[in-house]
Amino acid sequence: MEEIRGTVRNIIYRNAENGYSVLELVDDAEHAFTAVGELPLASIGERIEIAGTWTEHPAYGRQLKARSYHTLAPANVTALINYLGSGLISGVGEITARQIVAAFGMDTISVLEHEPERLREVSGIGKKRAARIAASFAQHKDLRDIMLALQDYGITVSQGLKLYRAYGNLCLARLRENPYRLIDDIEGIGFITADKLAANAGIEHDSPFRIKAGLKYTLQWARQEGHTLLPKEKLTEVACDLLKVDVKPAEDLLDELALAGDVVVKPVGGEECVFLPYMFRAEGECARRLSALIASAQAPALLGLEERIRLLEKELEIELAPQQHEAVLTALTSGAMVITGGPGTGKTTILRFVIRLVEEAGLDYELCAPTGRAAKRMAEATGAEARTIHRMLGYGFDNESFVKNEDDPVCADVIIVDEMSMVDVTLMRALLRATPRGARLVMVGDADQLPSVGPGNVLRDIIESGVVPVIRLTDIYRQAERGMIVENAHRINRGRLPELFADCPDFRFEESGNAEEIIRRVIALCSGATNKLVTRDPAKDVQVLSPMKKGALGVAMLNARLQQALNPPALKKREHKYGEAIFREGDKVMQTKNNYKTQWKRACGGVVEEGLGVFNGDLGTVIRIEPEDQEMMILFDDEREAVYDFTMLDELALAYAVTIHKSQGSEFPVVLMPLAGGPPQLLTRNLLYTAVTRAREQVYIVGRSRSVYDMVDNAKVRTRYSALRFFLEGFAELGGTQP
């Protein structure tokens, strides 16, 4: 660690959110150097002392990586003039700065701080201007003092800036009074951070502030785990274990939270349950709108529907099975319905019939799916245009501001949604808000797939409620049959062992019990070193899926090894290190969270389409890294190009390997699975079933057959607490209601 003094000559780059800066400085010997780090308040003309280490950047050369810094008094008159005239202080430009320094010399800072009224001694500075200059100088000094004081509480620079923007000069008082209020007021500060601040501020561990915050935090954690609620007893048990406090005060304070409207306590299935208010509203609104949609179903617009179906069967030379026939009829006569079934059960055939019949009737329709890959697959299967739900709804800057809603609904008589198992409760609410009264909502999905990543259990709750008509497809039809992939998928789903050792090119298994051996085999397959895959382009067509994030065969380790093997460093290949991750041109990446603000472009038929939004699960490739501009360009699989500022890279992850959960809604030519044991809660039947059904042409498993069989035997489905089913049943008992 070195301490270097210098004067800021230029601010090359600064992130306003976290204060990360790239500064050009001149030291006392007039040697220029570059400093990088969290330097949010360093201004042009200021003299500062930086503690840091020297690093060598591949593009920019030698840089001082700052760990901390503090401001020094200007060393001479010239530095003082530069400091005052930098634009930092309102009302002072270069000319005025020279006049002030000419009047007070090296005592200028003392005058500004202690005798600001003396500024009127300078020609051209009156009472109002002097007051403005003094106030600006004081504000800048106050901010510095506050930022220094906040560091004693363990507040980072970026957090400190957010605090100051929210509370101004009162931020220290707010912090000392109740650090837990920061959770609600400051984006990016959660319970863990607030709890550390509280400990530093001397807040007792059994403080009511802390217990209330802990109860709300537990509900927020539950939401991230997919729950929309927690039973009251479960909530207090988990929260008290986290907080190390007694249950009785937590129960009392939970009642206070309910009275204040911070939580909602309602009976669900005969048990007292606790919701975060927005989760309660979301599930309740979904139930209300879905019930109203069913109740408002209009008379069939298609006259002679049975005859039309028979004619279409002759035209397409397809005879619908009884289940399929019933599904087509129900889709066109019900306000809402569900079609559920595994691979090869004829869902696509049903959709083709529904679309043709709707088109013949001159009705408007929309096809949509939760992800871009699922929408693309839907379009390829049906021959009709399909969009993501977000694009159909005209997403705005957050998931609460879709353009399409009850006041401006989607222009469609029939809306068909594929991959419904992926739809969480917040997206379902937005979809129902935008579904016009009298329209038909056809929900298609596999109820045996994993539930949505987001909160809720929408598809299962709708099916189990018994309120919405459901067609369950159980038979495998020849027109949809895909060899052993489909056969083994259904075996797994029924609790039967898959055929691992049959000589079938579309479903292969290699026995191996050693993790390192498995990884080397996966690398060999992905690199094309073997011809056992059905594709000649594994880099494009193969997706490695793992049940786990961590461990020897978790996606973190697999991505590191696969990146090194498939896309190693090269002289002309630019890369950028972000935290522990290294992104390199040519890398396969995945968006890990919804971002409704990211801009993208797509060239299609000579026309450039522009839009907003990239979403959790979107896959793409790093096509360009621009160190000078601090940017990275991603080409997503649906041909959208998006530019990522380096500060946004926490939204991206390497995707040579992804978790099975993250693969939902996607389909890949080849799925490659390394399996060699792991936590039983992760190695479940529906996880294996989901992975197998992601493959279009080939499944290739490398690992222990025992692990495969254990997953088939492990039918335990992780409990997901939700209330949509019960709300739907309640509305049904009331005969439905209008939204």
Side-chain angles (χ1 to χ4, degrees), residues 359-610:
E359 288 175 339
E360 290 178 5
L363 300 178
D364 295 320
Y365 67 92
E366 284 278 1
L367 306 184
C368 60
T371 67
R373 293 181 72 91
K376 183 179 180 181
R377 186 157 54 91
M378 190 184 190
E380 291 171 348
T382 62
E385 181 185 1
R387 301 189 283 175
T388 65
I389 298 173
H390 298 85
R391 288 194 69 197
M392 182 183 74
L393 299 183
Y395 45 80
F397 292 116
D398 59 67
N399 61 348
E400 297 292 331
S401 66
F402 289 102
V403 174
K404 295 295 180 180
N405 51 39
E406 60 267 43
D407 298 321
D408 182 20
V410 173
C411 184
D413 303 294
V414 179
I415 298 174
I416 302 174
V417 188
D418 200 10
E419 294 288 353
M420 267 297 299
S421 63
M422 296 182 65
V423 177
D424 64 28
V425 69
T426 55
L427 186 56
M428 187 65 182
R429 176 176 61 176
L431 174 64
L432 289 169
R433 283 178 174 177
T435 301
R437 287 188 62 192
R440 291 161 176 77
L441 179 64
V442 181
M443 296 168 281
V444 185
D446 188 345
D448 295 317
Q449 297 265 6
L450 295 170
S452 60
V453 175
N457 214 2
V458 174
L459 181 59
R460 286 195 179 186
D461 273 359
I462 290 173
I463 292 172
E464 292 175 3
S465 72
V467 174
V468 179
V470 177
I471 305 297
R472 296 180 182 270
L473 305 174
T474 55
D475 298 328
I476 302 174
Y477 304 106
R478 287 180 184 174
Q479 70 264 28
E481 197 167 354
R482 296 200 301 241
M484 285 305 296
I485 294 178
V486 170
E487 175 65 26
N488 277 337
H490 285 275
R491 282 175 172 267
I492 292 166
N493 198 34
R494 294 165 184 164
R496 297 170 57 196
L497 299 180
E499 291 283 351
L500 296 183
F501 300 99
D503 187 18
C504 296
D506 68 333
F507 200 106
R508 289 182 176 271
F509 175 81
E510 285 189 27
E511 186 77 52
S512 179
N514 180 275
E516 180 58 29
E517 184 181 313
I518 292 171
I519 291 176
R520 287 200 297 267
R521 189 61 180 146
V522 168
I523 291 172
L525 289 162
C526 289
S527 63
T530 173
N531 62 358
K532 289 192 175 183
L533 298 181
V534 296
T535 177
R536 294 184 178 180
D537 191 359
K540 178 183 177 183
D541 294 337
V542 175
Q543 182 60 61
V544 179
L545 300 182
S546 173
M548 300 162 289
K549 292 181 180 179
K550 300 178 181 179
L553 295 178
V555 296
M557 178 61 71
L558 288 168
N559 272 315
R561 296 287 296 274
L562 286 165
Q563 182 193 43
Q564 184 63 29
L566 305 179
N567 190 32
L571 186 61
K572 294 184 178 181
K573 191 182 294 181
R574 289 170 291 191
E575 62 181 49
H576 178 72
K577 191 174 189 300
Y578 185 86
E580 297 299 315
I582 295 175
F583 295 100
R584 190 172 295 136
E585 290 177 342
D587 275 339
K588 187 177 182 180
V589 294
M590 174 182 279
Q591 177 77 12
T592 60
K593 62 177 70 173
N594 290 340
N595 187 324
Y596 297 82
K597 299 179 182 180
T598 297
Q599 297 179 328
W600 54 259
K601 294 181 179 180
R602 174 168 50 205
C604 184
V607 178
V608 177
E609 181 186 2
E610 297 184 358

Side-chain angles (χ1 to χ4, degrees), residues 149-390:
L150 288 173
Q151 290 179 18
D152 294 335
Y153 291 91
I155 297 284
T156 67
V157 172
S158 58
Q159 291 169 340
L161 289 172
K162 290 177 180 179
L163 281 172
Y164 189 79
R165 293 187 192 110
Y167 304 135
N169 291 341
L170 295 175
C171 59
L172 282 171
R174 295 282 189 268
L175 178 60
R176 295 178 184 125
E177 177 188 355
N178 177 16
Y180 298 99
R181 70 182 296 168
L182 274 59
I183 300 171
D184 296 325
D185 295 348
I186 310 296
E187 184 181 356
I189 293 184
F191 176 80
I192 302 299
T193 300
D195 208 34
K196 291 179 181 176
L197 297 177
N200 291 338
I203 304 293
E204 296 292 335
H205 89 286
D206 58 351
S207 162
F209 292 137
R210 182 171 185 264
I211 295 174
K212 286 181 178 180
L215 288 164
K216 291 168 65 176
Y217 168 74
T218 303
L219 286 174
Q220 290 160 353
W221 162 83
R223 179 193 178 282
Q224 293 173 351
E225 293 294 307
H227 309 292
T228 62
L229 60 93
L230 283 178
K232 190 174 182 179
E233 186 175 335
K234 179 80 171 177
L235 169 60
T236 53
E237 176 190 335
V238 173
C240 290
D241 184 61
L242 167 73
L243 300 170
K244 307 301 181 198
V245 298
D246 294 334
V247 171
K248 184 62 173 67
E251 291 175 340
D252 295 339
L253 290 167
L254 182 60
D255 292 338
E256 289 186 19
L257 285 172
L259 286 171
D262 292 326
V263 301
V264 176
V265 182
K266 293 288 183 181
V268 176
E271 188 174 17
E272 285 286 286
C273 293
V274 188
F275 303 75
L276 290 168
Y278 61 90
M279 283 287 92
F280 176 76
R281 291 193 297 269
E283 287 204 298
E285 187 175 347
C286 283
R288 186 175 74 252
R289 291 185 179 276
L290 194 55
S291 299
L293 194 63
I294 296 170
S296 66
Q298 298 173 353
L302 297 172
L303 300 175
L305 189 54
E306 290 279 8
E307 179 62 23
R308 288 175 179 267
I309 292 174
R310 282 195 292 272
L311 291 172
L312 192 55
E313 284 179 314
K314 289 181 181 179
E315 180 187 337
L316 300 178
E317 298 182 348
I318 295 174
E319 183 180 352
L320 294 177
Q323 286 181 329
Q324 294 175 310
H325 187 94
E326 185 184 1
V328 173
L329 282 174
T330 306
L332 295 170
T333 57
S334 299
M337 63 94 63
V338 172
I339 302 171
T340 184
T345 54
K347 297 190 294 292
T348 299
T349 299
I350 294 168
L351 294 188
R352 287 174 179 165
F353 269 73
V354 171
I355 292 167
R356 279 290 303 274
L357 293 166
V358 169
E359 288 175 339
E360 290 178 5
L363 300 178
D364 295 320
Y365 67 92
E366 284 278 1
L367 306 184
C368 60
T371 67
R373 293 181 72 91
K376 183 179 180 181
R377 186 157 54 91
M378 190 184 190
E380 291 171 348
T382 62
E385 181 185 1
R387 301 189 283 175
T388 65
I389 298 173
H390 298 85

